């Protein structure tokens, strides 16, 4: 919304829940059925007869599918529906990537109704159990032996049995993936696909090891310190994945690992980076008279509307974000030390998004981070150190 305001673009926000303000502001709010993308696209087509629509953007996995349907129906810039669906369904994604010889973990699809003890006897360890349609590492659990597999299966089954989660997963709520665990270092790649060509906007290092048993993410720092040749291999792996899924336009966010066998595609989503993490990215800062730089959202809106994009070059400074880990389960009473954390040199902001009285649930059952820390500096190492220093000054108090 802020990006649209900066660009002077009239914005309509589509939601799956009706708003009491919709009648007051009929051009700014629209209720759609996100579970029925084609029906949602028909509703937008009717809306567009009175209020012309020139672009569409999905902001998460579910709305990326709706945006693809709308783009197809209204002949706007966007992805075909099948590509958006494949990007949001981990099994379909794995099938397409494996068929295109993109390096991915070995995988099998299993039903939660099948006996886990029987499956556990046929698995090569270590392995990872993964829900087919959840994001943010929710429900992702590593198992190193048969006993751990059965335990992980029980936790995953409980997560997928929650009514809201089951509804979000649809027909995949009773299925899960068993994947080969890929050792090595993990990076995230933020990109923009323009006319079938992937433009790499940033590669983030993840300095904290993600070896399990759970995979809660913490620090992202860019530019990456991975050697240039390996960064090229990472970008090439992501590009091959984009083409294999049929993504032709718009933002992508990919998670990759690399080891002595090369780069591996772990996940790819046809949407921008989640949460508030995009605030870490600025483009063209100090160049082209752009001042503090262009945000990722401004670039995405410009692309959707076919407007000129001033620069896809990230600013020269290193930047990073920490997704603040959840220290334990409980009812949050307060967060102390925020002012001290903000005072750490290089730290730009500390945003606590959890509120007093909220129940915090650690991963793998949880999916929300309680806040974010942002820092910017001369080198990735200095930025990482500032993020860790700021985090150490925070204290979460629970009832």
């Amino acid at each position: 919304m802020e990006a649209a305001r900066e660009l002077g673009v009239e914005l309509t926000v589509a939601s799956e829940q009706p708003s009491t303000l919709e009648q007051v502001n009929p051009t700014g709010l629209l209720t759609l059925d996100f579970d029925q993308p084609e029906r949602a696209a028909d509703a937008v087509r009717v809306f567009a007869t009175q209020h012309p629509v020139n672009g569409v953007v999905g902001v998460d996995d579910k709305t990326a599918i709706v945006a693809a349907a709308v783009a197809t129906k209204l002949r706007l810039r966007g992805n075909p529906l099948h590509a958006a669906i494949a990007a949001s369904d981990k099994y379909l994604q794995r099938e397409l990537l494996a068929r295109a010889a993109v390096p991915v973990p070995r995988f099998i699809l299993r039903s939660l109704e099948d006996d886990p003890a029987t499956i556990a006897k046929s698995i090569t360890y270590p392995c990872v159990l993964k829900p087919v349609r959840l994001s943010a590492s929710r429900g992702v659990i590593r198992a190193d032996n048969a006993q751990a597999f059965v335990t992980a299966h029980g936790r995953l089954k409980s997560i997928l049995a929650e009514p809201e989660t089951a509804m979000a997963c649809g027909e995949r709520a009773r299925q899960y993936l068993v994947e080969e665990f890929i050792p090595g270092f993990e990076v995230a790649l933020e990109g923009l696909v323009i006319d079938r060509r992937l433009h790499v906007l940033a590669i983030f290092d993840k300095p904290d090891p993600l070896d399990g048993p759970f995979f809660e993410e913490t620090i992202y720092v860019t530019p990456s310190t991975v050697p240039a040749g390996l960064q090229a291999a990472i970008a090439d792996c992501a590009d091959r994945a984009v083409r294999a899924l049929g993504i032709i336009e718009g933002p992508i966010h990919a998670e990759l690992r690399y080891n002595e066998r090369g780069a591996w595609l772990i996940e790819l989503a046809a949407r921008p980076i989640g949460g508030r993490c995009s605030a870490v990215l600025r483009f063209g800062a100090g160049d082209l008279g752009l001042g503090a730089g262009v945000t990722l959202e401004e670039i995405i809106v410009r692309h959707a509307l076919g407007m000129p994009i001033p620069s896809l070059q990230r600013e020269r400074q290193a930047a990073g974000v920490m997704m603040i880990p959840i220290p334990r389960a409980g009812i949050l009473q307060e967060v102390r030390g925020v002012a001290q954390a903000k005072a750490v040199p290089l730290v730009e902001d500390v945003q606590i998004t959890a509120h007093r009285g909220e129940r915090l649930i650690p991963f793998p059952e949880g999916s929300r981070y309680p806040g974010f820390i942002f820092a910017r500096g001369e080198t990735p190492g200095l930025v990482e150190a500032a993020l860790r220093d700021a985090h150490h000054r925070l204290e979460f108090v629970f009832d």
Side-chain angles (χ1 to χ4, degrees), residues 202-207 218-224 273 276-282 314-324 346-351 372-388 390:
I203 295 178
F204 292 96
D205 286 344
K206 301 183 184 183
T218 51
I219 293 177
Y220 275 32
V221 181
T222 190
S224 173
I273 191 171
R276 301 193 180 186
C277 297
S278 64
V280 79
L281 294 173
R282 296 176 183 166
R314 203 191 65 79
E315 65 176 341
R316 294 189 182 93
Q317 274 194 312
V321 58
M322 171 181 271
M323 290 152 271
I324 301 173
L346 305 186
V347 169
E348 288 191 332
D349 197 12
V350 178
Q351 299 179 8
F372 303 84
I373 305 171
F374 300 91
R376 219 170 292 270
E378 287 301 312
T379 68
L382 290 173
V383 169
E384 179 187 341
L387 293 171
R388 295 192 190 280

Side-chain angles (χ1 to χ4, degrees), residues 75-133:
R75 298 185 179 180
L76 303 174
R77 181 173 290 188
N79 288 309
L81 186 57
H82 67 82
I85 291 173
S88 71
D89 186 296
K90 294 178 176 63
Y91 176 65
L92 287 179
Q93 182 175 140
R94 284 280 184 268
E95 287 273 278
L96 290 170
L97 296 181
R99 201 177 303 159
V102 177
V104 294
R106 293 191 301 271
F107 64 96
I108 53 173
L109 183 69
R110 287 290 179 261
S111 169
L112 284 170
E113 311 308 323
D114 296 338
D115 177 39
T118 302
I119 298 173
K121 295 175 183 177
S122 63
I123 299 299
T124 301
Y125 296 97
C127 71
V128 176
L129 289 78
K130 182 179 292 186
V132 181
R133 281 191 181 163

Side-chain angles (χ1 to χ4, degrees), residues 69-262:
V70 171
T72 301
K73 184 77 68 174
L74 273 64
R75 298 185 179 180
L76 303 174
R77 181 173 290 188
N79 288 309
L81 186 57
H82 67 82
I85 291 173
S88 71
D89 186 296
K90 294 178 176 63
Y91 176 65
L92 287 179
Q93 182 175 140
R94 284 280 184 268
E95 287 273 278
L96 290 170
L97 296 181
R99 201 177 303 159
V102 177
V104 294
R106 293 191 301 271
F107 64 96
I108 53 173
L109 183 69
R110 287 290 179 261
S111 169
L112 284 170
E113 311 308 323
D114 296 338
D115 177 39
T118 302
I119 298 173
K121 295 175 183 177
S122 63
I123 299 299
T124 301
Y125 296 97
C127 71
V128 176
L129 289 78
K130 182 179 292 186
V132 181
R133 281 191 181 163
L134 293 182
S135 58
S137 301
R138 189 177 183 207
V140 181
I141 307 172
R142 171 175 164 165
D144 290 343
N145 53 52
Q147 182 178 354
F149 182 95
V150 173
T151 301
H153 178 276
R155 294 185 74 164
L156 179 56
K157 189 172 184 177
S158 295
I159 292 169
L160 292 174
E162 296 172 10
E164 189 175 329
T165 304
M167 186 176 297
C169 293
E171 73 276 10
R172 295 294 196 191
R174 307 307 299 168
Q175 297 175 318
Y176 66 103
L177 286 175
V178 183
E179 294 186 350
E180 167 192 18
F181 174 75
I182 302 294
F185 299 94
E186 189 161 315
V187 297
L189 183 147
E190 200 69 17
L192 182 69
V193 181
I194 304 176
D195 193 19
R196 303 176 187 270
R197 179 186 173 196
L198 173 63
H199 298 261
V200 176
L201 303 178
I203 295 178
F204 292 96
D205 286 344
K206 301 183 184 183
D208 287 337
L210 290 166
D211 292 329
F214 314 124
F215 296 87
E216 179 183 26
E217 296 189 298
T218 51
I219 293 177
Y220 275 32
V221 181
T222 190
S224 173
T225 58
V226 173
L230 191 47
Q231 286 195 42
I234 289 168
D236 178 68
C237 184
D239 181 61
R240 291 169 59 194
V242 163
R243 286 185 276 118
L245 297 181
I247 295 169
I248 59 174
E249 298 285 358
I252 65 112
H253 178 76
E255 313 284 345
L256 303 100
R257 289 202 169 201
Y258 63 91
N259 53 32
E260 67 282 357
R261 293 190 286 166

